[in-house]
Amino acid sequence: MSLLKCLGLPRHQVSTARKYLNVSSLSCLRTAKNFSIEAHSQDEEVVIALGIRAVTKLGPHELLATLKKIEKDLGRTDGIRYGPRPIDLDILFYGKYKVRSDSLNIPHERIWERPFVIAPLVDLLGSAIDNDTVASWHSFSGHSGGLFELWEKLGGESLIGQEGMHRVMPVANGLVDWSLRTSVMGILNLTPDSFSDGGNFQSVESAVSQVQLMISEGADIIDIGAQSTRPKASRISVEEELSRLIPVLEAVKSMPEIEGKLISIDTFYSDVASEAVSRGAHLINDVSAGQLDPNMFKVIADLDVPYVAMHMRGDPCTMQSRENLKYDDVCKEVSSELYSRVRQAELSGIPTWRIIIDPGIGFSKKTEDNLDILTGLPAIRAEIAKSSFAISRAPILIGPSRKRFLGDICSRPSAIERDPATIASITAGVLGGANIVRVHNVKDNCDAVKLCDALLRHKSSAMKSRR
Ligand SMILES: Nc1ncnc2c1ncn2[C@@H]1O[C@H](COP(=O)(O)OP(=O)(O)OP(=O)(O)O)[C@@H](O)[C@H]1O
Ligand SMILES: Nc1nc2c(c(=O)[nH]1)N=C(CO)CN2
Ligand SMILES: [Mg+2]
């Protein structure tokens, strides 16, 4: 088992490099999030650092030769050491082994003082040290508290999001740091039967004007769904979903206002996902996290777009069955079930730096479960961090908008009356660490997230000045 570091990779080559690594007798076990290190001068490229943990049949020197070949194929020429280069692939660790030869030193000698190497390296771990190999990596660091202590000494989590180092996701043609401000995802339902706005936006013209409205009100992302996932909704075929979706997607793509905004597709069908991405959709939102279509993960792995993996049990027909509503500790169980879906996605080739997680408010949850989740996002992150820091730090999306539990609490049987309660639930979620909110009423929720972001910034600057 080895750990690799890729450094200095131009944006478009992130996925190319990963594909090279996949075909070179490495099978990926885990991927750490991208870190972009901002350029110090204007002509410098943004540098991307990422970590990969993989299994290989190659010996350490054979692996080094393979990596050198990949570096060469991607355009690296022998030149000034430590200078600018299109890619740098290093072996940080190789199982429990130490290697010392003229051409190879493992552990890599210069990792210990480099925050941009340690950041993705720590992300490949979890706080629970669950095997001997990982234990040996900790001991190689020379610190009694292992790699975690080393990371703290370098500055730790406080280095991230400032001082030039960002945790980023490749989205459309750029890199997004979802932690900088909360993003608002406006909902466009192309369904006759959605619980809140079913039937309103079925014609292309009304869909386009709704998108115009949501963008003018501040939406960052438009989430287009052509299949209802409300409890007990009957399922439509891929063909029918596409026939509703494609004309609207084409029309939305040709709107001048859509420039700079992201288009998300709410679907659990892989064929819908691939068709939509080929027509310019930027992101796939799958309420089933791959459970309703066995091809979903493989298709998403090849599509190279961000993927929202939402927690749900069963399908929209069975999700509210007694069995699927049974939790001892909802935050713990949602965390472990979501973690195992994301793990599966990773093993199918979707790197964690493309994954957005969603606890699935209203999907196989009772009212009190939804409340536990809305107040428990930090607990969900902490629980996932036991297994994987990278996944625990994924952006969180929440979608409480106009859902029934809000109506039950506020005695609002009609969904449109639930906007004030929605705003309160969004506020709770964002203050607890949600990064993207999926809402019907864009205008009012944009104000809510702006206030939350201001509160969070204020709190973190007050904490810093106290230090
Ligand atoms: N663990 C290791 N991983 C990769 N290369 C190594 C390792 N240990 C020693 N080397 C040797 O270091 C030589 C120079 O590495 P490279 O050209 O990648 O330098 P660099 O990228 O400028 O430095 P660095 O990788 O420290 O940032 C390689 O040809 C290789 O033989
Ligand atoms: N990611 C995500 N997608 C959804 C959600 C949700 O909560 N999260 N809720 C829906 C039903 O309204 C439909 N789609
Ligand atoms: Mg190198």
Side-chain angles (χ1 to χ4, degrees), residues 99-165:
V99 180
R100 289 277 171 271
S101 78
D102 287 348
S103 60
L104 190 59
N105 279 315
I106 297 174
H108 190 285
E109 285 180 305
R110 286 170 296 279
I111 57 179
W112 314 113
E113 68 267 22
R114 294 175 173 174
F116 60 85
V117 177
I118 301 297
L121 173 54
V122 167
D123 258 10
L124 288 166
L125 310 172
S127 59
I129 300 166
D130 52 1
N131 74 45
D132 290 356
T133 304
V134 171
S136 68
W137 298 343
H138 282 292
S139 73
F140 290 153
S141 76
H143 290 77
S144 58
L147 290 163
F148 300 140
E149 187 185 325
L150 170 71
W151 175 229
E152 282 311 313
K153 287 207 169 130
L154 291 173
E157 199 56 29
S158 73
L159 290 179
I160 299 187
Q162 55 195 337
E163 298 176 22
M165 192 152 60

Side-chain angles (χ1 to χ4, degrees), residues 217-406:
E217 290 177 344
D220 303 291
I221 309 168
I222 303 295
D223 187 44
I224 313 180
Q227 164 113 245
S228 177
T229 47
R230 73 182 160 78
K232 304 234 159 60
S234 55
R235 201 178 298 186
I236 60 164
S237 66
V238 169
E239 292 69 31
E240 196 172 349
E241 195 174 316
L242 281 173
S243 74
R244 289 179 188 175
L245 178 67
I246 297 304
V248 173
L249 177 57
E250 300 270 85
V252 170
K253 280 299 285 183
S254 65
M255 293 167 56
E257 301 90 327
I258 203 73
E259 180 69 34
K261 308 291 171 194
L262 299 175
I263 300 175
S264 153
I265 304 297
D266 186 347
T267 188
F268 47 75
Y269 284 141
S270 60
D271 288 343
V272 173
S274 60
E275 185 65 28
V277 170
S278 76
R279 290 167 189 264
H282 303 110
L283 194 147
I284 296 299
N285 173 21
D286 177 6
V287 296
S288 80
Q291 292 183 100
L292 297 180
D293 182 336
N295 295 326
M296 189 57 124
F297 288 161
K298 280 276 168 232
V299 167
I300 298 291
D302 288 339
L303 287 178
D304 264 353
V305 291
Y307 176 67
V308 180
M310 197 195 78
H311 175 268
M312 127 160 107
R313 287 174 172 174
D315 61 29
C317 257
T318 61
M319 67 185 182
Q320 298 298 101
S321 71
R322 186 131 57 110
E323 196 183 317
N324 283 335
L325 289 175
K326 248 180 79 189
Y327 297 95
D328 287 324
D329 179 330
V330 69
C331 288
K332 273 198 173 156
E333 283 155 82
V334 165
S335 304
S336 75
E337 290 165 27
L338 197 51
Y339 170 74
S340 61
R341 296 311 303 157
V342 174
R343 195 73 195 103
Q344 217 46 55
E346 237 186 334
L347 293 171
S348 313
I350 308 176
T352 47
W353 62 76
R354 280 206 271 128
I355 291 178
I356 296 167
I357 53 175
D358 182 337
I361 292 170
F363 286 81
S364 54
K365 315 286 183 319
K366 302 179 293 299
T367 293
E368 62 264 35
D369 300 328
N370 293 319
L371 300 179
D372 275 338
I373 287 171
L374 274 172
T375 53
L377 298 180
I380 290 179
R381 287 203 195 270
E383 189 62 29
I384 298 178
K386 290 180 188 164
S387 310
S388 162
F389 286 120
I391 301 174
S392 78
R393 288 156 182 170
I396 293 185
L397 187 154
I398 53 165
S401 190
R402 296 184 183 170
K403 283 186 179 165
R404 207 182 67 194
F405 76 106
L406 301 174

Side-chain angles (χ1 to χ4, degrees), residues 5 64 68 76 81-82 85 88 90-91 103-106 108 110 114:
K5 176 203 74 171
L64 178 68
K68 293 266 154 221
R76 183 165 174 177
R81 202 149 173 217
Y82 308 119
R85 70 298 285 279
D88 179 28
D90 290 335
I91 307 168
S103 60
L104 190 59
N105 279 315
I106 297 174
H108 190 285
R110 286 170 296 279
R114 294 175 173 174

Side-chain angles (χ1 to χ4, degrees), residues 414-457:
S414 151
I416 341 256
E417 294 180 309
R418 297 174 190 159
D419 281 347
T422 298
I423 291 167
S425 63
I426 290 292
T427 302
V430 174
L431 294 180
N435 308 97
I436 306 169
V437 300
R438 183 182 180 276
V439 293
H440 298 88
N441 180 331
V442 170
K443 180 168 174 276
D444 293 348
N445 284 292
C446 269
D447 281 3
V449 304
K450 278 183 192 156
L451 189 79
C452 293
D453 288 351
L455 288 168
L456 292 169
R457 267 195 308 273

